[in-house]
Amino acid sequence: MAQILVVYFSRNGSTAELARQACRGVESVAGARAMLRTVPAVSASSEAPPKPVPDEGPPYATLQELSAADGLLLGSPTRFGNMAAPLKYFIDGTSALWLDGSLAGKPAGVFTASQTMHGGQESTLLAMMLPLLHHGMLLVGLPYSERALHTTRSGGSPYGASHVAAVQQDLTEEERALAQALGRRVAQLAVSLKSQAAPG
Ligand SMILES: Cc1cc2nc3c(=O)[nH]c(=O)nc-3n(C[C@H](O)[C@H](O)[C@H](O)COP(=O)(O)O)c2cc1C
């Protein structure tokens, strides 16, 4: 079974909903299973540290889970055209995995939610790809053979799945379809790579 880790940060729920749709796409692939995880908020040293366990929703991702995963989907709100600090903080804690190459050759995709249409979704998606490339991951995007990429009037791009909250609070049909497609594509590649790597 190929395990796909879906890790996100979300304050207001849009990125969390994209993550759940990506999980649906993963789970639609035979031989793939999604593992949904979040990351803690970051706080200044003068503030109370985040609780070790979230009050609700999925648990926090661990480095062991990331290392063992066969594929990764990474999601963040767009903040000033970039990923949110909690997700960057999590990624900055992955040096050991970078050194031992445990993510190299594994597929990954990225997703984001922003308030506005032209508020920096694409720069956020591209920025999220950079550390994954340093890890040697194989970036998976969305081709225009995905019909929803032609018809969307809100989120969704070749660089990854996305949601524009200003268009409507809930994900549009196209945004849902594209988040699922991204999950499906990462899972399909992970299953294929895993079966090639299996002995015999
Ligand atoms: C500090 C901060 C910076 C933000 N920067 C942007 C931005 O550059 N462009 C944009 O469109 N929205 C920006 N937003 C809005 C969020 O991207 C938007 O509310 C998003 O839907 C939040 O995702 P979430 O519901 O998963 O928390 C920003 C929000 C915050 C708190």
Side-chain angles (χ1 to χ4, degrees):
M1 187 65 75
Q3 296 275 3
I4 310 301
L5 189 67
V6 182
V7 186
Y8 70 92
F9 176 74
S10 180
R11 181 178 286 170
N12 296 318
S14 294
T15 314
E17 183 55 26
L18 284 170
R20 287 190 287 271
Q21 295 300 326
C23 285
R24 290 184 64 178
V26 169
E27 298 273 346
S28 72
V29 176
R33 181 173 298 154
M35 199 190 291
L36 185 63
R37 295 289 185 266
T38 186
V39 296
V42 292
S43 55
S45 56
S46 57
E47 297 170 9
K51 293 179 183 169
V53 176
D55 287 334
E56 56 185 16
Y60 295 137
T62 67
L63 291 184
Q64 289 77 8
E65 288 168 338
L66 180 57
S67 175
D70 300 297
L72 174 68
L73 285 144
L74 198 61
S76 169
T78 289
R79 288 195 172 172
F80 303 119
N82 209 326
M83 79 180 95
L87 199 73
K88 182 66 163 57
Y89 187 76
F90 176 73
I91 294 171
D92 284 356
T94 61
S95 301
L97 278 58
W98 169 69
L99 282 170
D100 71 17
S102 52
L103 300 181
K106 295 177 178 178
V110 293
F111 55 95
T112 190
S114 72
Q115 180 62 27
T116 56
M117 185 78 89
H118 303 292
Q121 291 204 336
E122 294 185 349
S123 58
T124 301
L125 293 170
L126 293 170
M128 291 169 74
M129 290 180 187
L130 298 180
L132 305 183
L133 287 167
H134 280 250
H135 274 288
M137 299 199 84
L138 309 175
L139 269 307
V140 174
L142 290 167
Y144 276 85
S145 51
E146 296 293 343
R147 282 193 55 77
L149 213 47
H150 293 269
T151 55
T152 182
R153 295 292 174 264
S154 50
S157 94
Y159 310 110
S162 64
H163 167 65
V164 181
V167 173
Q168 64 177 54
Q169 195 56 45
D170 293 338
L171 304 196
T172 65
E173 193 181 325
E174 285 88 353
E175 289 170 342
R176 274 201 307 276
L178 290 167
Q180 291 173 20
L182 188 68
R184 193 172 64 242
R185 291 173 58 78
V186 169
Q188 283 168 339
L189 186 54
V191 168
S192 168
L193 290 169
K194 194 164 180 157
S195 69
Q196 286 169 38

